[in-house]
Structures are given as C-alpha cells and as structure tokens.
Amino acid sequence: KYEKQELLNLDIRDLLDESIKKDAETMMIKALKGIRFEVLHRRKDGSTFPVEVNSIVGVLEGEQVLLGICRDITERKQYEARLEYMSRHDYLTGLYNRAAFDETLDQLEETSTYPFVIAICNIDGLKMINDTFGHEIGDHCIKVTAMNIKNALRALDFIARTAGDE
C-alpha cells in the first residue's frame, strides 16, 4: 500500500498498468473533459485492479488543477463478468445456452466455415426419470450426459444445451 507521501511524489502514469500506458494521453483528454472512464491501476506490489475515474478541472490557489477521484470497481467488474457468463451459459450444465448457440450459428453462416456438423442429442426417457425418481436425478442425468459429450469433443468444438429438458 502506498503511503500518502509516496502518492504525492508519483505521476498519474506511475499508477497505470503497463498494458494501458500507451493510452495515457487519451485518458488525460477524457479527464480534462470530465468524461468518466475506467482504467487498470497498479498497486505498489505490482498487482492491478480496475478503477472508475471521475474528474473535474478547477482552480486552486490561483492555479488550474485537475481533481480526479478513482473508485475501485473490482466487485462490480466481477459481478458484470458473472452476469455475462450467466447470459451465455446454461445454469445446470455450464454449457453454452440457446442464445450463445444462435449467435455461433449466425457467425458460421457469415464466415462460411464449411464443413461443419450440428449434432442434436436427446436423453430418451428423461420425463419418466423425472417423474419416477425426481428432478434431482433427472438433472444429474443431464449433467453426466453433457459432460460425457463435452469430454468427447475437441477444445475448438462448440457444445450448447438449447432446451430445458434435453
């Protein structure tokens, strides 16, 4: 953790992650215009974390100054990533969902990556399993089937669960 005196002796670029230092000029323009933006800051130990920067130009003791407030948004970014994951993955199996499947199919149509194969699988008797043994056992069957199919595919292959009971 930086001490107050250490921070006062740092240039704002010293707090930026190396991967974004090339964008420092663009960020400064945004800051001077009062445009809110997000950036990766670097801690004293070298680790990084996302911050949201709000700034305003003002006058302090007769000199023009830029006041910036940086807020750690790590939790928000984690929440956003979780929401993004949930919007594209099936809650039960962790496989891609129907929305991701449709998007991938559209991409395949645009890029004309031929040949490709679409295999549709159905677990015969799943309704009977659910009715007889309960949905917990039926869900287990779906998970096991999904993982068996996933394990049989290559890393570049795409697998999705597109319906709730299949």
Side-chain angles (χ1 to χ4, degrees):
K1 189 172 184 177
Y2 288 107
E3 298 299 322
K4 181 180 179 181
Q5 193 56 43
E6 288 178 296
L7 280 173
L8 291 173
N9 293 327
L10 291 175
D11 183 282
I12 189 65
R13 289 175 203 81
D14 296 330
L15 296 173
L16 297 176
D17 181 56
E18 293 295 326
S19 65
I20 58 168
K21 281 191 176 183
K22 64 185 179 315
D23 299 325
E25 189 68 30
T26 303
M27 287 181 276
M28 187 57 75
I29 291 169
K30 287 181 177 181
L32 289 169
K33 290 182 177 181
I35 299 171
R36 184 182 320 175
F37 61 95
E38 296 175 5
V39 66
L40 279 179
H41 267 205
R42 188 172 41 87
R43 293 183 182 93
K44 189 175 183 177
D45 67 5
S47 62
T48 60
F49 64 104
V51 296
E52 178 182 76
V53 180
N54 290 295
S55 60
I56 187 168
V57 175
V59 177
L60 178 65
E61 297 177 359
E63 290 196 39
Q64 187 176 14
V65 295
L66 176 65
L67 172 64
I69 299 173
C70 299
R71 183 171 60 98
D72 185 339
I73 56 171
T74 302
E75 285 184 27
R76 187 182 89 196
K77 287 295 188 183
Q78 291 168 343
Y79 183 72
E80 287 172 357
R82 181 73 182 136
L83 284 176
E84 173 67 23
Y85 179 87
M86 289 169 50
S87 73
R88 297 183 46 78
H89 291 82
D90 174 60
Y91 72 95
L92 183 63
T93 62
L95 300 177
Y96 285 108
N97 63 16
R98 180 60 183 254
F101 172 77
D102 289 342
E103 182 180 304
T104 301
L105 199 55
D106 288 343
Q107 289 172 356
L108 284 171
E109 288 176 358
E110 289 176 14
T111 60
S112 300
T113 307
Y114 296 103
F116 65 87
V117 174
I118 296 178
I120 300 173
C121 301
N122 185 40
I123 301 173
D124 287 336
L126 184 60
K127 181 176 178 356
M128 186 175 69
I129 291 169
N130 282 336
D131 291 346
T132 306
F133 301 106
H135 286 274
E136 187 175 315
I137 300 298
D139 288 351
H140 179 73
C141 289
I142 292 171
K143 290 179 195 176
V144 169
T145 301
M147 289 310 107
N148 285 334
I149 295 170
K150 184 176 181 177
N151 290 337
L153 298 177
R154 302 169 299 178
L156 61 93
D157 292 332
F158 180 86
I159 180 172
R161 180 173 176 227
T162 60
D165 60 350
E166 303 179 66

